[in-house]
Amino acid sequence: MSSTANNPIRRRPLALAASLLAASACNAQPPQDIASALAFSDVTATHLPQAPDLHALDIALADFDRDGDLDAALAVEGAPNRLYLNDGQGRFAMREGTFGQRPHDTEHVRAADFDRDGHMDLVFVAEDDRVHQLFLGRGDGSFADASARLPAMSVGNALAVGDVNGDSLPDIVVGNSGMTGERGEDGGRNFLWLNDPRRPGWFVDATATHLPAIDNRAQGVALADLDGDGDLDMVVATEAPPTRFLINDGRGRFSEASSRLEQVTPLETREVHLFDANGDRRPDILLLNLTSNAGAWDKDPQARLLVQDSSGRFADETAARLPANRFSSWGGTVMDFNRDGHPDLILGAIAVPGFSPLQVRAYANDGNGRFRDVTAATIPATTIGRSWSMAVGDVNGDGIDDLFIGGWGTQARLLLGRRASAANE
């Protein structure tokens, strides 16, 4: 999120927000026969700690205590980050004080075994207070603070983890919208921190030699092999145009290829997702957008789908492939919620102007990369909130992916996937 001075949503009275949420929920309950056929069951009330005012902006699912199930690490804005441990049935309980008692302006979290000891570790990035954190897992649900190993501070708003230089160690990309001690109208240069193979879990700042000298106002970053050469390329979502596309040379050195993206309208983008939408084995690009950061109507918030062709260019085929939307979306995810073998979409929805909570949306893929809105037959009506970043994984061990949804000042939610789904029909 933006700084307090520039961010109207931090000044919005929570009492008013709560009343909007309650009114919407009361008016949106589906008939019982529809509810029983939904693709998801909302188990938030029984399976998650209740924290309706928490700003849980991102979630990482991993087995942090090595008991065979997925736990949850939450990136929290304005409060200490949280660890929720899973009882094996998808019921989560908070382990107090895991990441300290000091609040930070944390935006994102990712999990990986950075130090190659067999235990899952965590990296968090923060915006306004610029405190990025690294915690090394001990395998029992506890962590050692190794934040001093991170090379720099920044106004961080995006985070990705992956092996970009082919040495089998996870590296860190931080997307920045400003540098230490400044905001900057043009944003900040992103960071690339390479995991040191001589000392796994320590990081070398390779920004100057491996990334283009581009300032951007980054809000999201994603890594995937977009050109089919076996290494991880990068797409950076920005709050001011253009979206950035960077090609990896196989050694972790990136060059800009943004001209390959058809960018038909100015966007304020919050998340980018890379996946094969139409089944042609070429990754495509989904951009989730705002009209403004909870201000007045400005840019078109329509989610946009850029489809890759055989030449490696990405055409904006939004009009033919995605439902129209006028809501703003701070987060979403890709998952096959109807289990037909094709990736579907989940989008958070917030009404702007107003920053009013709305129901989570579900878009089903027809197998050819054309999506239809199946929210009513898929998503419980209780999912009204200011939904943020999401995580997908089988938290209750039934072999079906579940959905963990972050929230800004509204309850984070847990939706368990069901075997029977109206969306399959």
Side-chain angles (χ1 to χ4, degrees), residues 25-310:
C26 289
N27 293 328
Q29 295 299 324
Q32 185 59 40
D33 59 337
I34 295 177
S36 64
L38 296 178
F40 293 99
S41 174
D42 188 346
V43 297
T44 303
T46 56
H47 286 55
L48 285 187
Q50 299 303 289
D53 298 329
L54 192 70
H55 304 322
L57 302 192
D58 200 3
I59 306 108
L61 293 176
D63 185 4
F64 298 114
D65 56 5
R66 300 195 70 179
D67 64 353
D69 54 45
L70 294 177
D71 309 301
L74 276 62
V76 180
E77 181 186 72
N81 297 316
R82 292 188 172 199
L83 179 67
Y84 290 172
L85 293 180
N86 189 344
D87 71 354
Q89 303 299 313
R91 296 178 176 86
F92 292 85
M94 184 167 70
R95 176 172 282 189
E96 297 280 353
T98 301
F99 307 116
Q101 300 296 336
R102 182 180 174 185
H104 295 291
D105 188 36
T106 309
E107 300 289 316
H108 289 286
V109 59
R110 295 291 183 269
D113 182 6
F114 291 114
D115 57 0
R116 199 183 272 169
D117 67 351
H119 308 316
M120 295 301 293
D121 312 310
L122 288 163
V123 60
F124 296 89
V125 296
E127 184 185 16
D128 285 346
D129 69 351
R130 305 171 178 85
V131 179
H132 308 324
Q133 296 178 289
L134 175 67
F135 289 93
L136 300 180
R138 298 188 178 102
D140 59 358
S142 67
F143 295 81
D145 189 341
S147 302
R149 300 185 187 184
L150 300 180
M153 300 172 66
S154 63
V155 182
N157 269 301
L159 178 63
V161 167
D163 176 16
V164 303
N165 59 353
D167 64 359
S168 300
L169 289 171
D171 309 303
I172 298 173
V173 179
V174 179
N176 293 316
S177 55
M179 305 307 291
T180 303
E182 66 182 40
R183 291 291 303 194
E185 287 302 315
D186 295 327
R189 187 176 181 180
N190 301 325
F191 292 153
L192 175 58
W193 298 336
L194 296 179
N195 205 329
D196 188 345
R198 297 170 299 177
R199 299 187 302 168
W202 295 76
F203 293 88
V204 177
D205 191 343
T207 301
T209 56
H210 287 56
L211 287 185
I214 299 169
D215 283 345
N216 53 213
R217 298 172 66 182
Q219 293 290 334
V221 61
L223 298 171
D225 182 7
L226 292 172
D227 56 3
D229 64 355
D231 54 46
L232 296 178
D233 307 303
M234 187 186 311
V235 179
V236 182
T238 62
E239 61 181 308
T243 301
R244 303 288 186 178
F245 177 30
L246 306 180
I247 293 291
N248 190 344
D249 70 354
R251 297 172 295 169
R253 293 178 173 85
F254 292 84
S255 58
E256 187 168 18
S258 302
S259 62
R260 299 188 193 182
L261 308 184
E262 183 182 19
Q263 305 196 44
V264 300
T265 187
L267 298 176
E268 181 167 342
T269 305
R270 282 298 163 128
E271 281 193 355
V272 53
H273 297 272
L274 309 178
F275 71 110
D276 179 7
N278 59 356
D280 65 358
R281 300 187 180 181
R282 291 189 289 264
D284 308 304
I285 300 172
L286 175 71
L287 302 174
L288 302 183
N289 308 303
L290 316 180
T291 183
S292 71
N293 189 21
W297 185 271
D298 184 11
K299 300 180 181 70
D300 183 359
Q302 171 68 48
R304 307 208 73 86
L305 183 61
L306 279 59
V307 176
Q308 185 174 184
D309 64 20
S310 59

